[in-house]
Amino acid sequence: MNRSSSSSTPATASADYLLCTNCRKVLRKEKRIRVSQPSTRGPSAFIPEKEVVQANTVDERTNLLVEEYSTSGRLDNITQVMSLHAQYLESFLRSQFYMLRMDGPLPLPYRHYIAIMAAARHQCSYLINMHVDEFLKTGGIAEWLNGLEYVPQRLKNLNEINKLLAHRPWLITKDHIQKLVKTGENNWSLPELVHAVVLLAHYHALASFVFGSGINPERDPDTSNGFRLISVNNFCVCDLANDNNIENASLSSNFGIVDSLSELEALMERMKRLQEEREDEEASQEEMTTRFEKEQKESLFVVSRAFDDDIVSTSDVSRYIEDPGFGYKDFARRGEDHLPTFRAQDYTWENHGFSLVNRLYSDIGHLLDEKFRMVYNLTYNTMATHEDVDTTMLRRALFNYVHCMFGIRYDDYDYGEVNQLLERSLKVYIKTVTCYPERTTKRMYDSYWRQFKHSEKVHVNLLLMEARMQAELLYALRAITRHLT
């Protein structure tokens, strides 16, 4: 509906009806529509099926990894897309298998129910369906699947930290931790809580990967005769002809202006120039701080009007969460909260988070650390058609931009590089995938780095996923550390 410069939010027609300002059709506020299934059923709606299939055929190791570490016992769509980076996939599957299946503080059904609660914050039906099956297979009580009012109070008590971790992790304090560990018969031990926090952060971040990579459903129980019933709010069928485009309409005019080959060459040139400038002179600490604050404020305007309206959860998902309207708000637009920036040097994953999580939930720290290092250092020294390229600068910009949106600052990083390396359409994509993943569209995915390979865009999604998970963990683990001191 957002197709003109004027606001295209449906105007109120009555208590039960709305007007679409694009086509002026009268809409019911709540309805279900039939949407045709895609004609090709590969693992991703964004990536041609043959590219993923070829990768799986070439690398037999993927099948061996699935046999050893998959809890479902099948090559699911997430694994197929991640197999474009088999080296990373092994780290991912090993850590996920440890969280879900190996010795740990939490019972197996609890682990899968927490995964469901986490995925529900972003309405990720793909992950919810997967873990509903796993929950039942591991002996979970079927009645719990009717909603949170049917689960033990201990699990209900995770609602607040689930909500904050998913959308505004900087609000988590030691008071939230104390409430969970000091609630009488329903209290959580610290090892149990760390296990739960790791699961919540993992599945919030994995929802970003699912939506950012356009992961298709494994199976759809609502499908019949090639059609799928979906619940919709403030939605008009005129959107179906336009990719259900929800990104800022003002951006669409920017897509396609510059030839994609020129974009690639321009990016390569900027990387070269930044490297030369870095060698010539270093910016002062004061200048570095100013650049961080500037980048943080500019991130406020990356996505605007299209994201002002709340997305209302569909009923089958909202049963697993409370306060469904609570979502991401820009850290820099914090108003009266006056929250200080999280200085990464004061509480780092390497020096603080890693040792705490390992102490309370043995070995998971090593597995997470390996996964973070793997994705951060993963490179094939290529950019689209160019070879022998050092992409370190680009990978660091992607990772640090995510942390910037979550209020985390690295004193030794020049945030001026973010503006030089990440074009506006890429910033829109990053912010959407990281902060509002359920709103990601194929148009957003297609709009940036148009000369790059799909495997390179999947690498971007892996970086965004791990940066988001690490940001959530840093805030939660810092709060636990403060509770302990």
Side-chain angles (χ1 to χ4, degrees):
M1 283 177 281
N2 301 316
R3 288 197 238 296
S4 65
S5 57
S6 61
S7 173
S8 53
T9 305
T12 303
S14 73
D16 300 315
Y17 293 89
L18 302 166
L19 278 176
C20 173
T21 55
N22 184 49
C23 67
R24 310 306 296 171
K25 185 175 289 186
V26 177
L27 313 171
R28 283 205 312 277
K29 277 188 178 178
E30 292 187 12
K31 60 182 183 295
R32 286 165 72 83
I33 61 170
R34 301 174 84 212
V35 181
S36 61
Q37 294 286 78
S39 55
T40 58
R41 298 294 301 156
S44 166
F46 297 172
I47 305 168
E49 184 176 5
K50 63 182 180 181
E51 290 199 25
V52 180
V53 171
Q54 283 170 359
N56 289 324
T57 305
V58 171
D59 198 336
E60 293 180 9
R61 186 169 54 158
T62 299
N63 293 321
L64 295 174
L65 289 172
V66 169
E67 286 177 23
E68 188 168 357
Y69 295 119
S70 172
T71 56
S72 65
R74 66 172 183 266
L75 184 63
D76 59 47
N77 290 343
I78 290 178
T79 306
Q80 288 189 65
V81 173
M82 281 190 186
S83 69
L84 290 167
H85 302 280
Q87 202 177 356
Y88 168 83
L89 177 64
E90 182 170 0
S91 290
F92 173 85
L93 289 177
R94 284 178 65 213
S95 62
Q96 182 173 260
F97 186 80
Y98 190 89
M99 292 175 215
L100 295 173
R101 283 290 189 270
M102 300 296 282
D103 289 344
L106 294 176
L108 297 186
Y110 264 57
R111 303 179 194 194
H112 292 290
Y113 202 87
I114 289 168
I116 292 167
M117 291 172 67
R121 286 308 320 177
H122 290 303
Q123 305 171 44
C124 187
S125 56
Y126 177 93
L127 291 174
I128 291 171
N129 291 337
M130 176 181 286
H131 288 282
V132 162
D133 288 346
E134 294 290 309
F135 172 76
L136 294 172
K137 284 178 190 172
T138 53
I141 299 169
E143 188 183 28
W144 293 11
L145 299 175
N146 291 327
L148 289 178
E149 61 267 36
Y150 297 89
V151 306
Q153 187 62 41
R154 292 181 78 229
L155 275 173
K156 272 191 209 175
N157 290 346
L158 283 180
N159 263 306
E160 185 72 7
I161 202 164
N162 180 26
K163 176 178 82 172
L164 295 177
L165 266 179
H167 307 297
R168 302 175 212 171
W170 52 87
L171 296 179
I172 294 173
T173 67
K174 67 177 182 180
D175 293 337
H176 295 105
I177 306 303
Q178 286 167 350
K179 282 180 187 175
L180 288 166
V181 299
K182 294 181 179 177
T183 51
E185 60 183 297
N186 297 312
N187 72 302
W188 290 75
S189 70
L190 278 174
E192 287 174 330
L193 183 56
V194 167
H195 193 172
V197 161
V198 168
L199 284 164
L200 290 171
H202 176 77
Y203 283 101
H204 295 153
L206 189 54
S208 284
F209 182 84
V210 168
F211 287 113
S213 303
I215 301 294
N216 277 326
E218 299 293 331
R219 63 175 189 271
D220 198 333
D222 285 334
T223 300
S224 64
N225 301 323
F227 285 88
R228 172 167 55 100
L229 284 173
I230 62 170
S231 298
V232 289
N233 294 284
N234 294 2
F235 180 96
C236 180
V237 290
C238 69
D239 275 348
L240 294 176
N242 295 277
D243 268 349
N244 188 19
N245 173 30
I246 51 83
E247 65 261 38
N248 190 344
S250 67
L251 295 175
S252 59
S253 61
N254 295 327
F255 299 159
I257 291 178
V258 184
D259 177 76
S260 54
L261 275 171
S262 302
E263 286 177 346
L264 174 61
E265 299 303 330
L267 176 58
M268 298 277 292
E269 184 57 39
R270 287 196 300 274
M271 288 172 66
K272 182 181 176 184
R273 189 176 69 249
L274 282 170
Q275 188 60 48
E276 291 169 352
E277 290 173 0
R278 189 190 285 176
E279 291 167 0
D280 287 345
E281 61 174 311
E282 279 191 26
S284 67
Q285 200 57 52
E286 185 180 355
E287 178 62 22
M288 300 270 261
T289 302
T290 302
R291 290 175 185 176
F292 170 79
E293 291 170 352
K294 181 172 181 278
E295 187 56 49
Q296 202 173 48
K297 285 173 184 171
E298 286 185 0
S299 75
L300 293 173
F301 307 105
V302 166
V303 181
S304 55
R305 186 176 60 250
F307 293 100
D308 287 342
D309 297 329
D310 290 332
I311 284 186
V312 180
S313 291
T314 53
S315 58
D316 57 334
V317 170
S318 61
R319 72 180 79 168
Y320 299 118
I321 57 172
E322 290 177 357
D323 196 2
F326 187 90
Y328 175 84
K329 297 291 183 190
D330 291 285
F331 179 87
R333 191 189 288 160
R334 56 185 182 266
E336 61 204 38
D337 292 331
H338 300 298
L339 292 170
T341 295
F342 186 126
R343 291 180 71 250
Q345 280 70 14
D346 294 340
Y347 194 92
T348 67
W349 164 256
E350 293 81 5
N351 297 331
H352 305 92
F354 169 79
S355 57
L356 176 66
V357 80
N358 241 19
R359 177 158 59 90
L360 294 171
Y361 177 21
S362 64
D363 291 335
I364 192 63
H366 290 293
L367 291 165
L368 292 176
D369 191 58
E370 179 192 324
K371 187 161 61 84
F372 292 148
R373 290 176 189 274
M374 174 65 70
V375 78
Y376 194 83
N377 296 317
L378 183 66
T379 183
Y380 306 94
N381 297 115
T382 60
M383 277 179 60
T385 55
H386 294 266
E387 297 183 351
D388 299 318
V389 182
D390 183 354
T391 60
T392 306
M393 185 183 291
L394 197 52
R395 283 178 276 125
R396 193 175 184 194
L398 290 163
F399 200 91
N400 287 1
Y401 185 57
V402 172
H403 280 198
C404 175
M405 289 187 295
F406 283 91
I408 299 172
R409 176 190 159 212
Y410 294 86
D411 287 348
D412 61 347
Y413 182 67
D414 180 359
Y415 287 85
E417 292 186 6
V418 169
N419 257 344
Q420 292 291 313
L421 298 174
L422 309 183
E423 61 187 84
R424 183 168 172 78
S425 58
L426 176 53
K427 283 185 172 181
V428 169
Y429 177 79
I430 293 169
K431 188 168 185 179
T432 307
V433 168
T434 307
C435 306
Y436 328 87
E438 61 275 21
R439 305 179 184 205
T440 309
T441 65
K442 186 176 186 297
R443 184 176 298 188
M444 288 179 183
Y445 175 88
D446 290 338
S447 70
Y448 81 93
W449 285 6
R450 285 168 293 175
Q451 281 296 309
F452 284 67
K453 293 176 281 222
H454 287 288
S455 62
E456 291 171 313
K457 291 193 170 190
V458 170
H459 188 184
V460 169
N461 287 338
L462 296 176
L463 278 162
L464 304 185
M465 174 175 71
E466 296 298 354
R468 177 182 178 179
M469 181 178 184
Q470 191 179 101
E472 290 190 24
L473 286 177
L474 284 172
Y475 279 109
L477 295 173
R478 184 181 67 168
I480 292 172
T481 299
R482 288 176 173 174
H483 161 74
L484 289 169
T485 54

